[in-house]
Amino acid sequence: MDDFLAARLQMAFSLGFHIVFACIGMVMPFFMTVAHFYWLRTKKAVFKDITKAWSKGVAIFFATGAVSGTVLSFELGLLWPAFMEHAGPIFGMPFSLEGTAFFIEAIALGFYLYGWGKLHPWFHWATGVVVGISGLLSGILVVAANAWMNSPAGFDYVDGKYLNIDPIKAMFNDAWFSQALHMSIAAFVSTGFAVAGVHALMILRGRNVAFHSKAFKIAAIFGTVAACLQPISGDISAKDVAERQPAKLAAMEAHFHTERNAALIIGGIPDTANKKVDYAIKIPGLLSFMAKGDVNAEVTGLDKIPTQDQPPIAITHYAFQIMVGLGMVMVLIALLYFFALWKKKRWQDSRWLLKLFVLATPLGFIALEAGWTVTEVGRQPWIIHGVMRTADAVTPMPGIAYSFYLFTAIYISLAVIVSLLLYRQITMVSKLYDSSSNTNS
């Protein structure tokens, strides 16, 4: 394995693990504070039990997210020194603000975890809200930095030098809103369905049904509402990508030929040699409409992009299809759930609906990983779109392959440890809160 590939794979694995921890850490505090709010309003012990159980999960993911995020910060400097040398002064502001948000989150979480019986009940609840808001802002700020890589702004690039730096303009670049919106909603979708799926499984097993039923409903409502909002943010993102990164859109859709009334491709296997897509479902005009708002608009194809500037087509296309396909599956489950809440009350306790949520447990995170693959692989060969190539930013230090193997082992170990901690937490919750939840539900 050459050092360039090893460096890219190491960042991919690091981001792939961190994004899961980060998204759960961003969203779980909101679940926790909703349960806490119900406890303060109703005084039903089951909601207090749910709050305390979820708060332990928040603490676990806060710690793992902090560790994995710190490793990523070091990797940026160690693996991509040329990138950080030039980009650091430009997009350093969102990273510094993210650090501030992280410290606020840490302080508020400390108050929350140790504030039971020591703080005023509503002030205690408010510290949980601060944990959620600061965690969400932290994620948005990191995404703003990533958006800058897709839509560089806030500087003039003259004779290989970065001049007239404006960090505010860099942070609020053209891509930050669409990416931050899409990512934030994705975090709620993936975490909502994952948490709902775990509680649905416990209900199906007959473990502490009153406790898990109420926890399931909170998580399911967050996840299903977000799932229905996600296609809207996806449309905003698609239009933004079509305008700023036509090569990425062409790779996402395996759109080889520039044309008007361009068809939306569903599925299919890209044949890059013959510039076509086999076994695909094509809907005429829909890609033009989704990208430009006009069915007869021209959509740039890969034929207008120099070969050396084209992203990997197959990976980008498959990742995009996985993201969209799983997203639509979750939208369908969400619509079924809303119908059950509105019209078919008896469906809410049906085993088939609970089984759907159990099956959907990993779908949000698979879609999330696929979406990040589209974002990062679809930008290649650029690390800063149109300005700096990824190959020019990698460290000249040899032996990166060994670093890749080491960090991969660390992240796999971390994932195993977190999984065991969560499994232990879930089983302990089912035993500990069984009698209190059933008594006070």
Side-chain angles (χ1 to χ4, degrees), residues 72-126:
L72 273 172
S73 299
F74 282 111
E75 286 181 343
L76 280 172
L78 292 172
L79 299 177
W80 314 101
F83 167 70
M84 292 304 295
E85 177 187 357
H86 298 291
I90 305 172
F91 79 156
M93 178 172 283
F95 273 133
S96 62
L97 292 175
E98 189 273 336
T100 303
F102 173 79
F103 283 119
I104 293 172
E105 182 183 5
I107 294 167
L109 183 60
F111 275 109
Y112 192 83
L113 293 175
Y114 297 101
W116 289 97
K118 300 179 181 68
L119 302 174
H120 185 280
W122 284 105
F123 178 78
H124 183 214
W125 172 80

Side-chain angles (χ1 to χ4, degrees), residues 245-266:
Q245 295 176 288
K248 178 184 285 187
L249 180 70
M252 287 160 56
E253 280 292 323
H255 185 61
F256 288 102
H257 305 289
T258 302
E259 60 184 348
R260 296 183 180 276
N261 193 237
L264 180 73
I265 293 176
I266 301 174

